[in-house]
Amino acid sequence: ELKVEQNPLFLSMQEGKNYTIYCNYSTTSDRLYWYRQDPGKSLESLFVLLSNGAVKQEGRLMASLDTKARLSTLHITAAVHDLSATYFCAVDRDDKIIFGKGTRLHILP
Amino acid sequence: DGGITQSPKYLFRKEGQNVTLSCEQNLNHDAMYWYRQDPGQGLRLIYYSQIVNDFQKGDIAEGYSVSREKKESFPLTVTSAQKNPTAFYLCASSIWQTMNTEAFFGQGTRLTVV
């Protein structure tokens, strides 16, 4: 059974700091996705990672995938308040897309 | 514009009633999914479907039913057997049998039992 675990589940950080969110999954997969959710809203796609070693960057966010370690990271560089949201990773295996519990990110001015 | 439409946005249900949540997509996607999200929690998979007239149970299917009579539509019925139906329900769709199965989401339906 596929399990997807994120950590930390909650992160409070100062503006300007760097931090990393981790996403581990339990079975092999080459397809991993990152999403952002603002309070009361739906999910917005951030990154699509489809191979070992894939790295994608958008602004202050960078995502990577290590399929051998079954690990993806979402790195935040010089955080700004606008990045406050909940971030989810999701893994596709056997036609099911399974989500982690999410990391609630709160960036303090 | 292409996208996924969920309706209604808010829904109130009396105990013992069945209610149906609508999900329509015009992205020509084969696969469709229903997720449930409780406050402060992640998304849990209820049902999913890759082709018309076929669907599979997800991790929390009890108390729910679905149909897939058309490629564009995947309605979810919350039955009276679902003991704690109050939640945020999200519908998604994706291309199937391809490398990139990125899911695109509707705006969600917030269901409250009164």
Side-chain angles (χ1 to χ4, degrees), chain A residues 1-5 24-28 70 91:
Chain A
E1 181 186 349
L2 173 60
K3 293 188 185 299
V4 181
E5 294 186 353
N24 292 91
Y25 53 99
S26 60
T27 62
T28 58
R70 299 176 188 170
V91 176

Side-chain angles (χ1 to χ4, degrees), chain A residues 1-2 30-31 33 35 37 39-51 86 88 92-102 104, chain B residues 6 9 33 35 37 40-45 48 50 57-59 88 90-91 94 96-108 110:
Chain A
E1 181 186 349
L2 173 60
D30 292 332
R31 294 178 282 196
Y33 310 98
Y35 292 85
Q37 185 181 37
K41 303 293 186 181
S42 186
L43 274 70
E44 171 191 354
S45 179
L46 289 175
F47 297 110
V48 175
L49 303 169
L50 300 177
S51 61
T86 301
F88 291 94
D92 183 339
R93 171 81 177 181
D94 297 332
D95 295 331
K96 294 169 68 171
I97 301 177
I98 302 299
F99 283 76
K101 291 189 175 184
R104 187 174 168 193
Chain B
Q6 288 186 244
K9 188 173 181 179
Y33 311 85
Y35 293 91
Q37 186 177 32
Q41 301 296 314
L43 278 68
R44 293 186 289 169
L45 183 62
Y48 59 108
Q50 281 80 41
K57 293 181 179 180
D59 298 323
F88 189 42
L90 287 158
C91 177
S94 72
W96 183 49
Q97 290 187 324
T98 183
M99 189 59 193
N100 184 352
T101 57
E102 177 188 9
F104 295 86
F105 284 83
Q107 292 307 299
R110 198 167 296 277

Side-chain angles (χ1 to χ4, degrees), chain B residues 18-21 34 47 63-67 75-79:
Chain B
N18 294 353
V19 290
T20 297
L21 282 59
W34 274 105
Y47 270 98
Y64 300 97
S65 66
V66 293
S67 62
L76 174 74
T77 296
V78 184
T79 75

